[in-house]
Amino acid sequence: MSHPLARHAKGGSSAPPRSNAVVGVLAFAGIVVSLMQTLVIPIVPELPGFLNASPSNAAWAITATLLAAAVATPVVGRLGDMFGKRRMLLVSVVLLVSGSVVCALSDSLVPMIVGRTLQGLAAAVVPLGISIMRDVLPAERLAGSTALMSASLGVGGALGLPAAAFIADRYDWHMLFWISAALGVVALALLVLIVPESTVRTGGSFDLLGSLGLSAALVSLLLAVSKGGDWGWTSGTTLGLFAGAVLVFLLWGRYELRTSQPLVDLRTTARRQVLFTNLASVALGFSMFAMSLVLPQVLQLPEQTGYGLGKSMLAVGLILAPQGLVMMAMSAVSAGLTKAKGPRITLMIGAVVVAAGYGLSLALMSEVWHIVLVACVIGGGVGFAYGAMPALIMGAVPASETAAANSLNTLMRSMGTSFASALAGVILAQMTTGFGGHALPSENGFKTVMAIGAGAALLAFFLASFLPRRQTTEEPAEPVEAAEPTEISGARS
């Protein structure tokens, strides 16, 4: 049985040219897209005034991106497998640029929501990039390259916060979106010039009914999770959305099992290696985001509270930026460990490191260097874990289903972050302390969220322990240079 990252040599031919450039461009595109996670954070408090909208309505500028990303990720991944991963990658970046321009020209709520929705539709860039790497890179480059691409989800978010805070502090807020549009144009040009099209495709017809069903279920679930705190967790709207999501998911699953060319191959998804990798991804996505919800607030709260550090948003971004660099560095270490010990061990070590970082936070959160240390330890663990996930997924699915499978894994991470946001919001709203006539999250509330983050990381470790000790799959497609796509039908097993 072959190792999942092995591949055939093609008549002794050399590796495709410009491998370093391909990896660099794809990673850059992933970072540009992940910047959308933190782009608007510095202006969230002022957003209602900027858009002449109430705070609850202005929040839709955030929620719209979340919903669009959830819908687009699995759909665009499947379209990439069918019609070309590079083609769909370019479409995604064009949507990102378009959304950024719309936001840059906006002064009211509706166009801002439209623009943020278009930005969210670009979320499949990272899984598409990982899938292109599988198809066009030589075997010895695959583990490190996919680990870097996977980690770009967190790297862009970490590095984007200080940059966005700096821009928002010194320029008109529209400049945030003009710069994101410019970065998107650069990424688009580089993709066109350097990244080749993968010739591995499934062909067939697109599962429109399945995509509509999955979209409806995801929107219902994420709306209930993200807006439940505003609407009330026991309100008819929230409970109705939860119930509707469960019902639609059940009907959708039944339909997907019966159709010949499903949007998501549930039989492949149910394989132990894919299933437990995705479950661990939910837990790790939850754990990673718990830190993002707590540390910035602790840094910004007034020192007079006794536990706040009284820093500006720009200072917060600079303090948390090193975690992005650590995450990027650890993705390379993750790749080396994956080659030596396998991705299962790498994922488990990453989960333990994340849990250790949260454990440190329970005792060390009263000084700036404490926050830097905690963020870097957690970021390093996330870099380890995220770097292992593409290898686990690609080690269990045919080459013709790589984009769809990686897209589903990315969606699972996003679901984890959404659940973390909802649960942390509930906890911090309930565990408060009075300060200057206002209710602020208490120190115990922050520690409770961090403890839950540690528990989520340990849950990811537990789930990863069920992964097969040896990952095997059919040989991935070798790098090819033919101009015409290779149709692969019936590739599912």
Side-chain angles (χ1 to χ4, degrees):
M1 302 297 285
S2 62
H3 189 278
L5 299 181
R7 64 179 68 203
H8 294 298
K10 185 183 177 183
S13 63
S14 60
R18 300 190 298 178
S19 292
N20 290 338
V22 169
V23 172
V25 169
L26 289 173
F28 173 71
I31 290 173
V32 169
V33 169
S34 64
L35 289 173
M36 299 308 107
Q37 300 173 4
T38 52
L39 183 68
V40 298
I41 287 179
I43 62 171
V44 165
E46 291 82 24
L47 206 54
F50 292 153
L51 302 176
N52 296 314
S54 67
S56 60
N57 286 335
W60 283 100
I62 312 297
T63 306
T65 308
L66 168 70
L67 299 179
V71 169
T73 301
V75 172
V76 175
R78 175 62 178 150
L79 290 172
D81 282 332
M82 293 176 61
F83 303 117
K85 303 175 182 81
R86 177 177 177 270
R87 179 178 299 174
M88 297 312 301
L89 188 63
L90 295 176
V91 169
S92 297
V93 177
V94 168
L95 290 172
L96 172 68
V97 173
S98 302
S100 298
V101 171
V102 171
C103 290
L105 296 173
S106 298
D107 284 306
S108 59
L109 182 62
V110 172
M112 175 62 79
I113 291 176
V114 171
R116 291 288 291 166
T117 300
L118 290 171
Q119 287 182 324
L121 293 176
V125 162
V126 170
L128 287 170
I130 291 171
S131 303
I132 290 174
M133 288 176 176
R134 182 188 194 183
D135 295 342
V136 305
L137 293 181
E140 65 271 12
R141 294 296 311 277
L142 191 57
S145 301
T146 55
L148 176 61
M149 189 73 192
S150 181
S152 71
L153 278 170
V155 171
L159 298 181
L161 182 58
F166 178 83
I167 295 166
D169 190 47
R170 285 163 172 76
Y171 303 98
D172 179 78
W173 65 275
H174 294 90
M175 186 60 66
L176 290 169
F177 297 102
W178 285 121
I179 291 177
S180 69
L183 291 172
V185 169
V186 172
L188 184 65
L190 292 173
L191 290 168
V192 169
L193 292 173
I194 294 175
V195 176
E197 176 63 274
S198 165
T199 59
V200 181
R201 302 185 191 176
T202 62
S205 58
F206 180 67
D207 179 14
L208 178 60
L209 186 58
S211 67
L212 293 175
L214 180 59
S215 299
L218 287 172
V219 169
S220 297
L221 176 61
L222 291 174
L223 263 181
V225 169
S226 61
K227 304 295 287 186
D230 296 331
W231 295 337
W233 293 105
T234 58
S235 70
T237 301
T238 302
L239 294 178
L241 285 170
F242 275 127
V246 171
L247 177 61
V248 176
F249 268 126
L250 291 174
L251 295 174
W252 172 79
R254 183 179 181 185
Y255 170 79
E256 290 294 282
L257 289 171
R258 293 186 175 188
T259 188
S260 59
Q261 294 182 326
L263 176 72
V264 178
D265 189 338
L266 294 180
R267 292 180 177 84
T268 298
T269 305
R271 293 175 185 171
R272 183 167 61 147
Q273 186 165 320
V274 179
L275 176 62
F276 281 97
T277 300
N278 284 334
L279 291 175
S281 297
V282 176
L284 275 168
F286 184 107
S287 186
M288 184 190 76
F289 204 63
M291 168 191 68
S292 302
L293 293 167
V294 169
L295 298 187
Q297 292 193 63
V298 172
L299 285 166
Q300 285 187 281
L301 284 175
E303 294 182 18
Q304 291 82 354
T305 60
Y307 51 91
L309 300 178
K311 303 301 179 183
S312 67
M313 176 57 75
L314 178 57
V316 170
L318 293 173
I319 291 167
L320 296 180
Q323 69 165 312
L325 301 177
V326 172
M327 202 178 297
M328 184 180 295
M330 286 300 103
S331 68
V333 180
S334 167
L337 185 61
T338 293
K339 288 180 180 179
K341 299 295 184 180
R344 173 179 175 269
I345 297 297
T346 306
L347 177 57
M348 294 175 73
I349 290 175
V352 169
V353 173
V354 171
Y358 278 107
L360 283 174
S361 73
L362 299 179
L364 299 176
M365 210 156 55
S366 59
E367 302 285 346
V368 169
W369 73 267
H370 292 172
I371 302 295
V372 173
L373 176 63
V374 167
C376 287
V377 172
I378 295 174
V382 170
F384 254 91
Y386 275 20
M389 288 174 186
L392 286 162
I393 293 297
M394 292 188 296
V397 302
S400 57
E401 297 180 15
T402 303
N406 278 316
S407 294
L408 183 62
N409 181 252
T410 301
L411 175 63
M412 292 300 103
R413 302 187 214 180
S414 298
M415 297 287 282
T417 64
S418 299
F419 296 147
S421 179
L423 182 58
V426 171
I427 292 171
L428 296 179
Q430 296 298 319
M431 301 180 70
T432 61
T433 185
F435 179 79
H438 300 281
L440 299 178
S442 67
E443 184 177 16
N444 286 335
F446 288 133
K447 289 186 175 182
T448 299
V449 173
M450 298 297 270
I452 293 174
L458 292 176
L459 175 61
F461 173 86
F462 175 72
L463 292 168
S465 70
F466 287 94
L467 289 166
R469 294 182 180 274
R470 297 182 61 190
Q471 287 78 44
T472 57
T473 188
E474 65 179 60
E475 292 288 346
E478 65 207 39
V480 289
E481 300 177 4
E484 295 299 320
T486 302
E487 293 240 340
I488 300 179
S489 58
R492 298 180 180 86
S493 56

